[in-house]
Amino acid sequence: MRIARFAVGDEVGYGVVVDDATVGANGTAAAQPAGAAQPSDGGGGTGLSVSEIAGHPFAPGTDGPKLTGARYPIEDVRLLAPVLPSKIVAIGRNYAEHARELGNEIPAEPLIFLKPSTAVVGPGDAIVRPVELSKKVDFEGELAIVFGRLCRDVPPARVPEVIFGYTCANDVTARDLQAKDGQWTRAKSFDTFCPLGPWIETGHDPADVQLTTTVNGQVKQDSRTSLLIHHIPALVSYVTAVMTMLPGDVLLTGTPAGVGPLVAGDSVSVYVEGLGTLTNRVVDAS
Ligand code: MG
């Protein structure tokens, strides 16, 4: 199930993204009150709709989201970052080829760092290059885990219980500041440096899927999640041995080889097979 956060007019809410062609063919769409379906966009669009969820999709103890009956063609809403995490934990050097391309050793243990919640932006939003402070802002396409439950000390075998779903992320990095500072906080934390989206897929199996990043349509990163050095159960177990993860918190799993700089005017897209595509434009801070 694809869970999106969206704005329509002055309203912000969560919704289930459904394919108009399959409405009624699954449990979610079938739960829609009869007659609530609205005609789609007349055939010129994507054929996707957003069915509004009553309340919050992370609410515990439910059998799945309850729908309000309101449904919008996806072209008529603005998709937002699908979650507002209290924190983003990220993993460095978790693909061997990427560690090598930057001249680094492959870490024996996961290398973790934090990005602030204020770095999050949604699909279509601008990545703002802090040109006064950094001369090299890189994209890093990544698979992101979204937590569904408060959890701590999760053993690898129980990791599936705490994961709500997956989305695409761009771990935007001021590469020159990363090298200069030693600590990565400044390089990783500028506002807009954590695009997430386009939605959360709750039924995704991320063990071996394609991950591709394109800039202006040109493929820059093309790898598979099976090449992660530390896989998802180990990562979640490792991170939750350190800190409590809250519902909506996000874990970025690392970027494959092919990272490179962005300039103003670029359009950067992170595609994860089975999830969708997260696209953002790049501007310079004025
Ligand atoms: Mg990264």
Side-chain angles (χ1 to χ4, degrees), residues 12-192:
V12 171
Y14 286 92
V16 180
V17 179
V18 291
D19 191 331
D20 293 337
T22 60
V23 167
N26 64 46
T28 303
Q32 181 103 356
Q38 297 163 5
S40 70
D41 63 347
T46 59
L48 297 176
S49 299
V50 181
S51 290
E52 188 183 41
I53 293 171
H56 197 287
F58 293 84
T62 60
D63 299 327
K66 220 173 111 200
L67 304 180
T68 65
R71 186 166 143 228
Y72 307 94
I74 205 161
E75 295 80 4
D76 292 355
V77 307
R78 189 161 78 87
L79 292 181
L80 307 173
V83 67
L84 295 173
S86 81
K87 61 183 167 296
I88 302 118
V89 182
I91 311 294
R93 302 172 191 160
N94 202 26
Y95 288 82
E97 284 296 317
H98 169 65
R100 279 190 213 109
E101 76 179 341
L102 296 183
N104 294 307
E105 297 290 313
I106 296 165
E109 288 183 293
L111 173 60
I112 73 175
F113 60 95
L114 289 166
K115 289 171 85 79
S117 58
T118 42
V120 171
V121 290
D125 287 341
I127 295 166
V128 181
R129 294 195 326 152
V131 286
E132 291 282 311
L133 295 171
S134 171
K135 302 303 172 208
K136 191 166 187 290
V137 172
D138 281 5
F139 57 84
E140 293 190 1
E142 309 203 7
L143 168 72
I145 300 166
V146 181
F147 286 77
R149 291 168 57 173
L150 183 149
C151 58
R152 184 173 168 125
D153 290 325
V154 183
R158 295 194 63 184
V159 165
E161 297 171 37
V162 303
I163 293 178
F164 180 65
Y166 298 88
T167 191
C168 308
N170 194 336
D171 175 22
V172 181
T173 302
R175 194 70 68 200
D176 49 354
L177 302 184
Q178 186 183 28
K180 186 174 159 192
D181 289 359
Q183 296 283 327
W184 296 2
T185 304
R186 189 164 61 135
K188 295 286 190 178
S189 300
F190 287 93
D191 289 0
T192 77

Side-chain angles (χ1 to χ4, degrees), residues 253-275:
T253 55
T255 200
V259 298
L262 296 166
V263 296
D266 281 346
S267 172
V268 56
S269 295
V270 179
Y271 163 79
V272 178
E273 181 183 358
L275 291 185

